[in-house]
Amino acid sequence: MKSATEQPQRHFRLFLLTAGLCLLIAQLLGYWVNTSIPEGSSVQINSLLNFTHVRNHGGVFGMAQGQGWLFGAFSVLLLAGVCAYLWFGAVLARLEYLFFGLIVGGGVSNILDRLVYGSVIDFIDVQGIPYWHYVFNTADVMIHLGIWPMLALSLWQSRSSRGLQDLR
């Protein structure tokens, strides 16, 4: 029989493994872009995708350029809070640890970019979408791969628990 702490620790290890893999993948791709594609230039992958090396010295969608330190500091606090919540809070579903791992791994990668390069290395440049002029990176993709399913799961669980309360 498993102890009461064994299951949460196993889930926390999944979180750490996921975050670590996301961090590694995002950093390796960012390093490759930084050493292979000159800043400000593009490499066409296909008709829908370019790798365009740009630097984000600000925050989300390039807001507040030159204030990257502020976004970095806020991110450190936010990610520390998520880790504390996962370690000390109630046990969550295994998928939630996976989703949080994606979010934290991507977030830590963007923080590391700011510390190592002084800005975030963005390069994924999707073509052919009207009014879409944003360039983003692998870490941003990881964050979104964690946030959107987490939001959907949260809404689904909220509706399920409301339905059960209505039956009582």
Side-chain angles (χ1 to χ4, degrees):
M1 187 165 156
K2 294 182 181 180
S3 68
T5 60
E6 189 174 335
Q7 194 74 7
Q9 288 175 349
R10 189 170 59 127
H11 290 337
F12 197 76
R13 285 193 301 265
L14 173 65
F15 160 74
L16 290 175
L17 177 65
T18 304
L21 284 173
C22 289
L23 175 62
L24 180 66
I25 291 166
Q27 285 298 299
L28 286 174
L29 285 170
Y31 177 79
W32 175 77
V33 166
N34 193 50
T35 58
S36 302
I37 303 173
E39 191 174 340
S41 64
S42 293
V43 174
Q44 184 175 16
I45 305 302
N46 58 42
S47 63
L48 296 175
L49 181 65
N50 289 347
F51 280 179
T52 302
H53 183 174
V54 297
R55 295 301 182 98
N56 182 352
H57 297 274
V60 177
F61 299 117
M63 294 186 317
Q65 286 296 308
Q67 302 297 312
W69 65 271
L70 180 64
F71 289 97
F74 178 73
S75 296
V76 167
L77 292 174
L78 186 63
L79 297 176
V82 168
C83 291
Y85 170 72
L86 292 175
W87 185 256
F88 297 111
V91 179
L92 303 172
R94 184 182 175 124
L95 268 179
E96 291 173 291
Y97 284 89
L98 178 72
F99 296 149
F100 275 123
L102 290 165
I103 295 165
V104 169
V108 170
S109 181
N110 280 338
I111 292 169
L112 196 56
D113 273 5
R114 291 181 196 287
L115 291 173
V116 172
Y117 303 109
S119 60
V120 174
I121 298 172
D122 287 333
F123 62 94
I124 301 171
D125 186 4
V126 180
Q127 304 294 301
I129 301 175
Y131 307 107
W132 178 266
H133 307 288
Y134 302 106
V135 179
F136 52 97
N137 63 25
T138 312
D140 299 332
V141 172
M142 303 291 184
I143 292 167
H144 283 271
L145 286 174
I147 285 178
W148 294 111
M150 178 77 77
L151 179 62
L153 182 65
S154 174
L155 292 172
W156 180 77
Q157 286 176 340
S158 174
R159 286 184 177 195
S160 295
S161 64
R162 249 188 297 150
L164 291 176
Q165 289 171 351
D166 293 342
L167 293 175
R168 289 185 189 166

